[in-house]
Amino acid sequence: MKQRRSDNPKSTGATRSGKGNVVPERFLVSKGTLRFDRFMTQAIQVGGLVVVLAVFGIFAFILSVIWPLFGGAEAAEGDTMFELEASEGAILGLDDWGELPFVTDGGRELVFHPVDGREPFLREAPLPDGAEVSSLRHDPGAQRIVAGFEDGRAGFFEVRYTMEFEEGRDRRVEVELGGEEWFEVAGGPVHAAAYADGGSNKLLAAVHDGGESGARSGLAVVGFHQQRGLLGGGRIEAMPKEELGHLVGGPIAEILIPATADMIFVATDQCELVFLAQDRGEWTVRQRMRMFDNPETRLKTLGFALGDNSIVAGGSGGEVRVFSLFPPEPGEPRTLGLTKEFPGLSDAPVLFAASRRNKTVFIASENELLIGYTTTETVRWRGSVEPGLAALALNGRGSSAAFLDTAGRMRFFEINDPHPEAGMRAFFSPIWYEGFSGPRFSWQSGGATDDFESKLSITPLIVGSLKGTAYAMLFAMPIAILAAIFTAHVLHPSWKRVIKPTMEIMASLPSVVLGFLAAIWLAPLVEYRMPGVFLMMVGIPIVVVVIGYAWSWLPVHLRSRLPTGLELVLLLPVVLGVGWLCWRLGPVVEQWLFVVEMPDGEKVADFTVWWPQWTGLPFSQRNSFVVGFMMGFAVIPIIFTITEDALSNVPPSLLAASRALGATRWQVISTVVLPVASAGVFSAVMIGLGRAVGETMIVVMATGNTAIMDPSNNLIFGSPFGLGSGEFPLAAQWNPFDGMRTLAANIAVELPEAAQGSTHYRTLFLGAFVLFVMTFALNTVAEVLRQRLREKFKLV
Amino acid sequence: MTTSQPEATPTPNSAVGHDPAFIEVERFSFWYGAAQALFDISLEFPERRITAFIGPSGCGKSTLLRNLNRMNDLIDGVRHEGDIRLDGTSLYDPAVEVISLRKRVGMVFQKYNPFPKSIYENIVFPLRVAGRGSRSELDETVERSLRGAALWDEVKDKLHESAYSLSGGQQQRLCIARAIANRPQILLMDEPCAALDPVATLKIEELMMELRKEYTIVIVTHNMQQAGRCSDHTAFFYLGRLIEYAPTLQLFESPAKEQTEAYISGRFS
Ligand SMILES: Nc1ncnc2c1ncn2[C@@H]1O[C@H](COP(=O)(O)OP(=O)(O)OP(=O)(O)O)[C@@H](O)[C@H]1O
Ligand SMILES: [Mg+2]
């Protein structure tokens, strides 16, 4: 910058000192310089502020995205209200859209109350003539009302809601009753009936008084078989009626049949849950269990959560318990077990309704409503209802609930719970998902079926990130630091001029290329050569140490012939030779050490089989070992260059001082160079660590990028047959021969598929946030430690 | 890092106990790359004597001194001709272990260079690298060396504080203490008193007189009084050449060369 001189000293500002003496012009700073200085100061301040704001902006944005995940449900009462004259015990039903609720008192006629303002209308139920209804049950998922009669008949008819679109008018929900089927099942009145349609087989069960153990102890069952032809359902054929009351052996309170129509869950008056299943065409008791610990407790409500794999039971003491079907040991038939328990209601729960969208369940006592999410065992909302609840029904999405209050009015709740499956528990605690033998940390964000539960534990992703980083650092750190020491303080400086730029080029290698190499070349190459790789890992260091030791015993006059550092270069072919030898010897060692007996008695030497057999942990081709190796390659150049700089910046005077005091080459390095450069080396390691934690492409490519095909399924998704039952073994996460999924890779793979604003989308952002916090914490700790080191070895 | 050289390989002439050593420099020339720094220098350092190097800045005093313990080896592109012998064995003999040579020939640098460690650790460093050091031996060494370097009274209460907490002059004395901690046979001192006050200087001179009873000492100094006071022999260098080498008294009272006289009398042009 050109400095303009002012000819007139007065024009340059304060030219007079305190005593009024004129300051000679040569002592003044030119205006231009001052202006430029001021401008640059401002520019730097503005720039810094913009950066800080940008960081905070990103932070705020991420927070705003993840914030709703941690909120509960909101429920508010709607304006619509119908006065009706229904008595207690009435059944309330609601269509999927929540627009056409109906009430029925005795089941003979259904009264529909359109919420869009149309007049209420009445439909006659297609019941058999002259039969008196003795039990009634509404199955909203199947749009079906199951009825039992005093004369021993039972059956069902359908309440078919349809959405009508007509020109010039809004869409409208219409209803039609029909599809009725009635069967003779019992000799006397039917106290409870249940029906399920499992496709080719259907099942109707009825509780009656004809059993051996008194009233309500008979259980009549009729199975149906429907031939499935090319043209859809064929003829329905009823099987002979069976009496199962003796299997239960007591008065029956409630029965449930899942949609598969191959099991019956019977709850007795004694609060025993009897699980009846068909074993080779024969009904047998698969399991009996007590539902409540307190013998005084009586069963008040019983119902399925979505998917019919979990039974929610409400006890008279206010208990709300969830029993799920799962195999106690891998491969065994499923039995019921208590998997979850909600904090109890203050009063006995009497009403139950399950969402047809997710695992949300509504349980109500007379004055209190609890909305819970069974999977995560969390209460989403709870509140009281005045004057009291008499019936409850949900629409399809679970966004609207209709209820009858004890004053005979029909009222509505609007429920807003966009992220029921999220929450602290879901993300960070082991969750007992349906079908699992125990609580697990599991991530599986999408599935093929409708009743699939997304598993959103980010714990395995965090562990995956740490695992990838740890393996990469384990490999990269010693190599990079030793190489930097060698280049900076052993090798002749002329070599450094070649090595450093080469390493810097390596650092800029796109990680996609490394990931590609790992997936396509390295993983298949080492898959069946693991013993050789082990041998190298052990053999090369040993040979180097032995040669070094032997070298130190050579007479001085032989050693001093070689210029400093060159002897280590001469070691290179030896190392390569040993590496090659180890690689070749690998199969020999495998023959010797890693022999397993196959089921057919044949002995096979194969590490890939041996490892899962001996440790119970899976072996996959694209494993952490490969990822660690390749990620190590991505990290080595970074650690190397920064470490090398730090080591080279150790003042030569200190090196001279230690040499003059008789320190050997290694002593100079270990006692002077490394301590003085420790802060720099530490920074290098931390920067490498940061890169490894956030590394995405290598992990994505080298572990396979599809969630379902992911070889690490067993770990991340807690497969029911991978790791045995019970607690999820976190230690198994560190299996080097298994893959992993890191937070960063997960975001890269799944974010394009996640619908904006969905739970999945927000959870991915939560992953980003955790990554952010992790690196932030790591950097902070690192910076504190680094400052300490700097303070300790500062050179002033 | 497995190739560290054993420090205990005996050299052919390794002296036992505190026998002083005797150094001969014969027709020694030295180059930094293409630039010649020393020209055909021959001289002998008598044992148990103090030899002073004087001469204007840049004349090669430090260069020659650094060659006596082969500290110059590490500089890129250096070359020498002629020979330097220690007790009759060439320093450049392939059988000479440089590490043990440097243990025999201690050195104090022109610029003080303590390690960023505690005072205590600085002094015991030569013992640590030699693999020695019972607690009592280390303590004893620290006290002896610090007393020798006239620093004991000033630092005895803060031995475990950083060496950088000392003043420049104190740091220089710490370096001297460190150099004598392992009792070398020969002590090379490159302007040890440049940063010291007169009292400390006097103490260092006293130390030298003390050490002279057992060791051979070579000192570079710009202080004519110091050279006159405490050296037995003085060598005057000029532009890489040895101009005059004589007993100190003789060199100062009746210099043989005109340049010498001009230099010591301060009339140097
Ligand atoms: N490391 C080096 N590389 C190249 N040239 C050097 C180096 N060290 C010294 N020289 C040169 O060698 C000559 C002698 O330097 P030396 O340090 O021996 O002088 P000196 O007599 O000790 O001077 P002073 O009294 O200022 O310390 C000088 O011309 C200097 O430039
Ligand atoms: Mg000098």
Side-chain angles (χ1 to χ4, degrees):
Chain A
M1 163 172 169
K2 237 199 285 173
Q3 295 198 358
R4 249 184 299 118
R5 260 170 217 238
S6 159
D7 295 326
N8 181 1
K10 276 177 195 146
S11 69
T12 56
T15 52
R16 281 167 188 280
S17 72
K19 283 182 180 165
N21 299 332
V22 175
V23 178
E25 194 198 337
R26 66 182 186 283
F27 296 142
L28 299 174
V29 187
S30 96
K31 249 186 174 173
T33 309
L34 283 175
R35 221 178 288 134
F36 187 70
D37 186 78
R38 226 173 294 131
F39 170 74
M40 283 315 287
T41 313
Q42 300 273 319
I44 288 167
Q45 276 175 354
V46 168
L49 219 64
V50 166
V51 169
V52 170
L53 281 178
V55 170
F56 273 101
I58 292 171
F59 196 73
F61 172 70
I62 293 181
L63 270 183
S64 74
V65 172
I66 64 173
W67 190 250
L69 287 176
F70 298 96
E74 282 168 30
E77 206 180 326
D79 299 330
T80 322
M81 183 191 288
F82 300 113
E83 298 281 348
L84 10 117
E85 53 278 359
S87 67
E88 292 213 7
I91 281 188
L92 178 68
L94 192 59
D95 61 299
D96 276 357
W97 302 273
E99 296 187 359
L100 198 55
F102 71 84
V103 196
T104 178
D105 212 344
R108 285 251 151 245
E109 46 204 33
L110 276 59
V111 184
F112 290 87
H113 292 268
V115 295
D116 58 8
R118 279 181 287 162
E119 277 300 302
F121 56 91
L122 188 143
R123 290 284 153 88
E124 199 72 30
L127 298 186
D129 289 336
E132 202 174 322
V133 177
S134 59
S135 83
L136 211 56
R137 174 206 297 268
H138 181 214
D139 181 354
Q143 301 200 352
R144 191 184 284 140
I145 287 183
V146 184
F149 302 95
E150 293 287 349
D151 62 4
R153 275 187 290 179
F156 59 88
F157 65 90
E158 286 169 2
V159 183
R160 298 189 192 123
Y161 282 106
T162 47
M163 176 67 89
E164 304 281 325
F165 296 94
E166 257 174 57
E167 247 177 271
R169 214 184 54 193
D170 284 344
R171 63 198 176 92
R172 198 161 82 182
V173 179
E174 295 292 349
V175 71
E176 188 190 327
L177 309 183
E180 67 275 15
E181 303 269 0
W182 310 110
F183 307 94
E184 287 286 346
V185 284
V190 172
H191 296 293
Y195 175 81
D197 185 345
S200 59
N201 58 313
K202 305 162 202 299
L203 195 62
L204 175 68
V207 179
H208 58 93
D209 291 330
E212 296 153 6
S213 327
R216 287 188 287 112
S217 67
L219 179 62
V221 174
V222 187
F224 304 91
H225 195 78
Q226 184 174 27
Q227 220 83 45
R228 290 253 145 194
L230 280 173
L231 300 171
R235 216 164 44 79
I236 298 181
E237 190 186 332
M239 312 272 209
K241 190 176 83 179
E242 281 181 84
E243 176 56 46
L244 304 179
H246 62 282
L247 293 178
V248 179
I252 295 170
E254 184 63 284
I255 54 174
L256 289 177
I257 303 178
T260 48
D262 54 355
M263 316 169 205
I264 310 172
F265 301 105
V266 183
T268 67
D269 279 1
Q270 303 308 311
C271 285
E272 222 181 0
L273 194 57
V274 184
F275 174 9
L276 302 175
Q278 267 179 315
D279 187 13
R280 271 170 263 129
E282 192 82 7
W283 282 102
T284 51
V285 177
R286 189 177 285 172
Q287 193 191 6
R288 302 177 94 91
M289 68 179 299
R290 286 208 59 80
M291 285 189 284
F292 303 107
D293 304 326
N294 186 349
E296 304 286 289
T297 305
R298 289 288 154 265
L299 180 69
K300 290 295 184 181
T301 61
L302 195 69
F304 283 123
L306 175 72
D308 293 1
N309 283 315
S310 292
I311 298 172
V312 183
S316 57
E319 298 95 334
V320 181
R321 287 183 148 190
V322 182
F323 303 90
S324 300
L325 282 173
F326 61 88
E329 288 296 328
E332 284 186 18
R334 299 187 300 165
T335 52
L336 282 172
L338 174 67
T339 54
K340 278 139 208 175
E341 183 155 13
F342 285 99
L345 293 169
S346 49
D347 213 349
V350 287
L351 298 172
F352 173 83
S355 159
R356 278 162 267 164
R357 224 335 170 52
N358 53 38
K359 310 276 181 191
T360 307
V361 291
F362 289 60
I363 302 149
S365 67
E366 211 171 276
N367 291 307
E368 197 178 7
L369 174 63
L370 180 150
I371 303 176
Y373 194 73
T374 52
T375 305
T376 55
E377 211 178 340
T378 43
V379 175
R380 306 294 305 167
W381 188 84
R382 110 185 264 171
S384 58
V385 182
E386 293 301 329
L389 280 163
L392 186 65
L394 298 183
N395 72 346
R397 292 197 298 135
S399 63
S400 168
F403 67 94
L404 301 184
D405 66 15
T406 43
R409 285 172 300 183
M410 188 196 289
R411 288 150 66 185
F412 294 89
F413 261 129
E414 295 306 321
I415 295 132
N416 180 22
D417 192 8
H419 310 293
E421 63 269 67
M424 278 318 239
R425 269 188 82 104
F427 298 138
F428 301 108
S429 304
I431 298 282
W432 198 331
Y433 291 103
E434 279 181 353
F436 284 12
S437 313
R440 296 243 167 106
F441 294 102
S442 184
W443 172 273
Q444 193 174 11
S445 53
T449 54
D450 280 346
D451 61 348
F452 172 81
E453 307 177 80
S454 28
K455 303 175 177 64
L456 297 176
S457 177
I458 60 170
T459 313
L461 303 177
I462 296 173
V463 176
S465 283
L466 296 178
K467 178 183 177 181
T469 310
Y471 281 114
M473 292 310 277
L474 215 61
F475 170 70
M477 223 163 61
I479 292 185
I481 293 178
L482 289 178
I485 291 174
F486 183 62
T487 327
H489 285 285
V490 181
L491 213 51
H492 194 271
S494 56
W495 280 93
K496 189 166 139 182
R497 287 193 282 275
V498 184
I499 291 175
K500 267 207 93 178
T502 313
M503 282 302 232
E504 271 148 21
I505 288 172
M506 253 181 83
S508 59
L509 207 64
S511 56
V512 162
V513 176
L514 291 175
F516 180 75
L517 278 179
I520 304 302
W521 171 72
L522 185 67
L525 182 69
V526 299
E527 182 180 10
Y528 293 108
R529 303 303 289 259
M530 268 303 163
V533 176
F534 292 151
L535 220 54
M536 273 166 143
M537 275 159 44
V538 179
I540 292 176
I542 288 181
V543 167
V544 169
V545 169
V546 166
I547 290 181
Y549 196 66
W551 175 260
S552 72
W553 281 102
L554 277 183
V556 184
H557 60 94
L558 284 180
R559 270 188 287 156
S560 56
R561 297 248 162 95
L562 275 179
T564 313
L566 202 66
E567 66 268 34
L568 292 177
V569 174
L570 287 184
L571 202 61
L572 210 61
V574 180
V575 166
L576 289 178
V578 171
W580 180 82
L581 199 72
C582 289
W583 183 256
R584 292 270 131 191
L585 279 177
V588 179
V589 173
E590 194 169 35
Q591 288 291 339
W592 177 47
L593 279 180
F594 304 119
V595 180
V596 282
E597 201 166 323
M598 299 301 275
D600 56 9
E602 199 190 347
K603 289 206 177 204
V604 186
D606 188 346
F607 182 79
T608 58
V609 181
W610 182 88
W611 175 260
Q613 276 219 352
W614 275 81
T615 59
L617 302 174
F619 181 99
S620 46
Q621 187 205 46
R622 297 188 182 180
N623 52 41
S624 311
F625 185 84
V626 172
V627 174
F629 187 80
M630 268 305 167
M631 209 137 92
F633 259 98
V635 171
I636 283 174
I638 298 171
I639 303 184
F640 173 86
T641 37
I642 302 173
T643 306
E644 210 275 343
D645 282 343
L647 295 177
S648 304
N649 285 338
V650 172
S653 67
L654 293 185
L655 304 182
S658 56
R659 282 200 198 99
L661 291 167
T664 62
R665 212 195 296 167
W666 172 239
Q667 281 171 335
V668 172
I669 290 165
S670 64
T671 58
V672 177
V673 174
L674 285 178
V676 170
S678 56
V681 176
F682 192 73
S683 300
V685 170
M686 280 300 145
I687 290 170
L689 203 70
R691 162 102 200 244
V693 168
E695 177 54 57
T696 311
M697 278 327 285
I698 293 176
V699 185
V700 169
M701 300 194 72
T703 56
N705 56 2
T706 54
I708 302 303
M709 293 299 291
D710 198 324
S712 52
N713 255 350
N714 286 338
L715 278 189
I716 292 172
F717 307 132
S719 117
F721 28 74
L723 296 166
S725 60
E727 288 290 298
F728 178 70
L730 212 58
Q733 284 272 20
W734 297 95
N735 176 9
F737 301 110
D738 201 338
M740 80 253 324
R741 178 173 279 211
T742 65
L743 287 165
N746 191 56
I747 294 167
V749 171
E750 297 194 358
L751 199 56
E753 297 164 15
Q756 196 177 352
S758 66
T759 310
H760 182 202
Y761 175 88
R762 292 180 193 278
T763 309
L764 292 176
F765 268 83
L766 177 70
F769 178 75
V770 170
L771 202 57
F772 192 97
V773 170
M774 258 164 70
T775 36
F776 187 78
L778 201 77
N779 281 345
T780 309
V781 171
E783 189 56 27
V784 169
L785 287 176
R786 205 173 65 86
Q787 291 296 351
R788 287 237 180 113
L789 285 175
R790 250 237 300 255
E791 191 58 32
K792 190 164 171 201
F793 296 108
K794 68 171 181 214
L795 296 168
V796 271
Chain B
M1 307 11 9
T2 54
T3 49
S4 64
Q5 295 161 348
E7 79 290 328
T9 314
T11 56
N13 288 306
S14 66
V16 187
H18 287 159
D19 282 351
F22 167 66
I23 312 169
E24 296 165 86
V25 179
E26 191 184 317
R27 310 215 56 176
F28 192 78
S29 301
F30 189 83
W31 288 263
Y32 288 110
Q36 190 166 5
L38 295 176
F39 295 85
D40 199 25
I41 287 171
S42 297
L43 77 169
E44 290 176 7
F45 302 97
E47 46 190 291
R48 297 180 204 230
R49 289 292 176 274
I50 298 174
T51 307
F53 287 180
I54 58 170
S57 188
C59 67
K61 307 179 294 291
S62 298
T63 303
L64 180 58
L65 201 71
R66 279 203 302 269
N67 269 303
L68 299 182
N69 66 348
R70 287 185 55 180
M71 282 300 286
N72 271 344
D73 285 16
L74 298 155
I75 298 169
D76 208 12
V78 295
R79 186 164 64 85
H80 70 92
E81 267 173 23
D83 202 7
I84 300 176
R85 282 189 294 273
L86 184 62
D87 279 346
T89 311
S90 168
L91 294 188
Y92 298 98
D93 191 310
V96 168
E97 182 79 73
V98 184
I99 302 300
S100 66
L101 168 74
R102 295 198 185 126
K103 285 181 176 152
R104 293 179 69 189
V105 186
M107 183 160 193
V108 176
F109 291 80
Q110 189 165 357
K111 277 178 266 173
Y112 48 86
N113 51 4
F115 299 121
K117 299 172 187 255
S118 67
I119 294 167
Y120 188 94
E121 281 303 319
N122 260 284
I123 294 169
V124 300
F125 183 88
L127 277 73
R128 291 230 194 267
V129 297
R132 296 215 323 263
S134 66
R135 184 77 210 181
S136 58
E137 187 188 355
L138 296 183
D139 288 346
E140 187 259 319
T141 305
V142 169
E143 183 169 350
R144 173 177 56 76
S145 310
L146 283 174
R147 280 191 193 285
L151 193 58
W152 174 251
D153 292 330
E154 286 155 70
V155 302
K156 63 171 184 281
D157 298 323
K158 51 174 195 175
L159 288 177
H160 294 284
E161 276 174 36
S162 168
Y164 289 130
S165 66
L166 300 177
S167 76
Q170 287 173 325
Q171 290 190 28
Q172 178 66 307
R173 276 179 282 156
L174 179 65
C175 291
I176 295 170
R178 186 176 65 183
I180 60 173
N182 200 26
R183 300 172 189 255
Q185 291 174 314
I186 297 165
L187 193 58
L188 310 176
M189 299 169 111
D190 200 344
E191 296 185 41
C193 302
L196 302 190
D197 65 272
V199 181
T201 304
L202 214 64
K203 285 188 178 163
I204 297 298
E205 284 171 13
E206 278 166 19
L207 166 70
M208 289 195 294
M209 299 315 284
E210 195 62 35
L211 294 173
R212 176 177 173 272
K213 291 176 191 151
E214 292 175 34
Y215 307 139
T216 305
I217 296 173
V218 184
I219 178 171
V220 175
T221 180
H222 284 292
N223 182 336
M224 294 305 125
Q225 282 78 27
Q226 185 174 46
R229 266 198 307 271
C230 59
S231 69
D232 300 288
H233 297 264
T234 300
F236 173 61
F237 292 86
Y238 182 56
L239 294 179
R241 284 169 219 277
L242 177 63
I243 305 298
E244 192 170 351
Y245 180 47
T248 303
L249 222 56
Q250 185 188 330
L251 189 124
F252 275 88
E253 306 234 301
S254 49
K257 299 274 169 45
E258 216 173 299
Q259 284 162 317
T260 317
E261 211 215 317
Y263 182 71
I264 56 180
S265 59
R267 287 182 283 102
F268 202 72
S269 53

